[in-house]
Amino acid sequence: VRDEEGNVLPCTVLERRREPIFLLPDDGFRQVHEAERIRAAVRVSMPPFATRRLTLCEGAEPPSPLRAGPDFLENEFVRLQFHANGSFDLLAEGAPVLRDQNTFEEVGDGGNEYEFKGNGKTFDTLSDRAKLKVSRLTSERAVMEVENHLRTQDGGEMCIRSEVTLKRGSRLAEISVSFRNTCKNHRVCACFGGAVGEVLAESPFDLIRRPFPGARWKRPENPQRTGGAVMLLSGEGGGVWAGRGLNAYEALPEGKLRLVLLRGVGEMGDWFTFPTEDSQGLGERHAEYAVTAFGPSERDEAVRRARNFCRPPLFAAVTGPHAGQNFAPGLSLQADGLVLTSCLKRAEDQKGWILRLFNPGEGETSLTFSLPGRETDLKEEACKEPSCRFTLGPKKIMTFRLDRLGR
């Protein structure tokens, strides 16, 4: 695919087929011709409210930075080196090596929906002989399929199939796993090696430091909650692990992280025994998560990458013909620190837009809008005069009203 200037753009052909088309000329009977239909995915940069003309040409595909082999995936920024047990080391320039990513662990669970209580034996895939296969290599992504077998508490065996994906231009290793659960009262985790140091976990409007338990903590396990992302870091950097809908994890002082994929229990708990057989999680299960490494000065960008995986960033889409004004041609926001978006919505009076931002960091962040906005309260009533510059304090939330933009 070439653009208007003749530059070659990365392209992946998704479908290619021939089909008949029918022409009805003015001076003759209908004619039947054969046409080739091609559906392709193209990476292209476009400004707001713009059009681009692209041309599909016959020819060799341009070189891709993606490479794959029997035991590795690689792009411009990251190399994934796989081991015989199906785990991999993540190597990124300027960041510590994250070793032994994506092994699996199973243990009995004598708890309830409120509380995990480990019992029985613990099984893992550290000594498993995994099956590895490069299932896809295009100009846009490389995929390694991994098949593991994990023993379970009932004496059976669980087949776990993973797809590890590395995309062009991405620093994330994205992982999707599928398995069929036939065992009850147990927990299944994906396990990762990480940095030895601090633990931060995502919560509503914040990244919370979670210290390791002290001497008074007597239980062998210490599971915690997260809103999506967990970070292990030291002075040299660290790693961020992000899950879609995976809200429980366990971090160990030696730098190991367990991300809970399944807790199968049959009791709600609380003040009485309430059987909940459906919470055993039997049947086909699927989970998606990702990992990224970062250097000493790259923490904020790593958090953004992880959060965009958990919650895709805001985007605009054409939903049909509309009457009215353009919302915000040329609207932009610049920040000199870590600022995350909570929501963008129409104001309740339908006369403006509400943008809510928060700063999960520990220092002030300066915000600069290309168009003026007003800080509001939760009733969407303006409490300050319009401005293009704001200061967002540490651990603070700010709500802005954007009225009649583009005029």
Side-chain angles (χ1 to χ4, degrees):
V1 174
R2 295 182 181 274
D3 62 14
E4 300 94 327
E5 288 77 36
N7 301 312
V8 177
L9 305 177
C11 167
T12 299
V13 175
L14 305 176
E15 182 184 19
R16 189 168 188 167
R17 57 188 171 86
R18 292 185 175 277
E19 64 179 34
I21 61 171
F22 304 94
L23 302 179
L24 201 59
D26 294 335
D27 57 351
F29 197 61
R30 61 177 175 266
Q31 300 175 359
V32 181
H33 298 267
E34 191 176 56
E36 186 173 31
R37 300 287 186 184
I38 299 175
R39 187 165 64 95
V42 184
R43 180 187 294 269
V44 60
S45 175
M46 295 184 66
F49 304 103
T51 60
R52 296 281 302 270
R53 178 175 57 82
L54 308 179
T55 305
L56 187 66
C57 310
E58 290 283 357
E61 189 175 17
S64 170
L66 287 165
R67 297 174 59 242
D71 62 351
F72 76 92
L73 301 177
E74 189 174 44
N75 68 3
E76 310 98 301
F77 307 111
V78 176
R79 181 182 176 92
L80 308 182
Q81 188 67 52
F82 287 82
H83 305 298
N85 63 8
S87 68
F88 62 89
D89 296 343
L90 190 154
L91 299 88
E93 186 177 356
V97 177
L98 301 181
R99 302 193 183 278
D100 301 322
Q101 304 298 289
N102 209 45
T103 62
F104 298 98
E105 181 183 279
E106 193 264 9
V107 66
D109 190 343
N112 52 46
E113 291 187 46
Y114 283 84
E115 187 177 26
F116 168 74
K117 291 182 180 179
N119 62 18
K121 295 182 178 180
T122 299
F123 302 106
D124 57 47
T125 59
L126 293 176
S127 58
D128 186 34
R129 298 292 295 181
K131 296 180 181 178
L132 289 86
K133 181 182 71 172
V134 177
S135 62
R136 188 173 184 184
L137 178 60
T138 69
S139 62
E140 288 297 303
R141 65 182 62 202
V143 181
M144 180 74 78
E145 284 188 2
V146 183
E147 182 178 306
N148 285 108
H149 291 85
L150 177 65
R151 288 189 61 188
T152 53
Q153 298 297 305
D154 59 1
E157 193 175 71
M158 176 184 292
C159 178
I160 303 178
R161 292 183 173 86
S162 307
E163 286 192 348
V164 183
T165 300
L166 194 59
K167 296 179 180 177
R168 182 188 187 115
S170 174
R171 298 177 186 268
L172 279 173
E174 301 182 17
I175 306 163
S176 65
V177 300
S178 301
F179 56 89
R180 181 173 180 79
N181 179 43
T182 59
C183 182
K184 296 182 178 181
N185 302 313
H186 71 144
R187 183 182 78 171
V188 179
C189 296
C191 301
F192 309 88
V196 179
E198 292 184 289
V199 182
L200 278 75
E202 184 180 350
S203 71
F205 302 104
D206 203 357
L207 282 173
I208 294 180
R209 271 189 172 78
R210 291 262 172 81
F212 294 107
R216 296 179 61 187
W217 185 263
K218 301 301 181 183
R219 292 180 56 178
E221 63 273 337
N222 183 35
Q224 299 288 343
R225 298 289 181 263
T226 176
V230 182
M231 179 188 302
L232 301 184
L233 69 157
S234 66
E236 299 177 353
V240 185
W241 291 262
R244 289 175 175 157
L246 303 177
N247 301 119
Y249 75 95
E250 189 172 0
L252 306 182
E254 60 267 27
K256 181 178 179 180
L257 177 73
R258 297 184 179 114
L259 192 61
V260 179
L261 306 182
L262 168 73
R263 279 196 64 222
V265 292
E267 179 185 335
M268 180 180 289
D270 203 4
W271 55 272
F272 193 73
T273 300
F274 298 100
T276 52
E277 188 65 21
D278 286 346
S279 62
Q280 291 287 1
L282 301 177
E284 298 294 333
R285 314 298 298 177
H286 183 77
E288 296 179 353
Y289 46 95
V291 55
T292 186
F294 62 92
S297 61
E298 300 172 338
R299 194 192 86 166
D300 290 355
E301 185 56 37
V303 172
R304 289 191 188 95
R305 290 196 295 267
R307 195 170 188 273
N308 286 346
F309 176 83
C310 299
R311 301 171 181 83
L314 298 173
F315 65 94
V318 176
T319 59
H322 297 275
Q325 301 169 337
N326 291 339
F327 161 52
L331 175 65
S332 64
L333 167 66
Q334 293 183 339
D336 62 3
L338 179 60
V339 174
L340 301 177
T341 304
S342 169
C343 79
L344 174 65
K345 61 180 282 290
R346 288 295 297 269
E348 294 299 312
D349 60 10
Q350 302 296 305
K351 296 180 180 179
W353 290 78
I354 299 298
L355 174 66
R356 185 166 296 121
L357 306 173
F358 66 98
N359 174 10
E362 298 176 355
E364 286 188 348
T365 295
S366 297
L367 306 177
T368 303
F369 288 92
S370 59
L371 297 170
R374 290 182 291 174
E375 187 179 348
T376 74
D377 56 24
L378 291 179
K379 294 188 292 185
E380 301 184 1
E381 296 177 355
C383 53
K384 291 186 178 181
E385 291 300 312
S387 176
C388 291
R389 297 181 182 275
F390 299 88
T391 298
L392 184 54
K395 310 293 184 181
K396 295 296 184 180
I397 309 166
M398 289 184 74
T399 304
F400 302 92
R401 183 183 180 104
L402 311 171
D403 285 313
R404 304 179 69 83
L405 296 178
R407 294 197 63 182

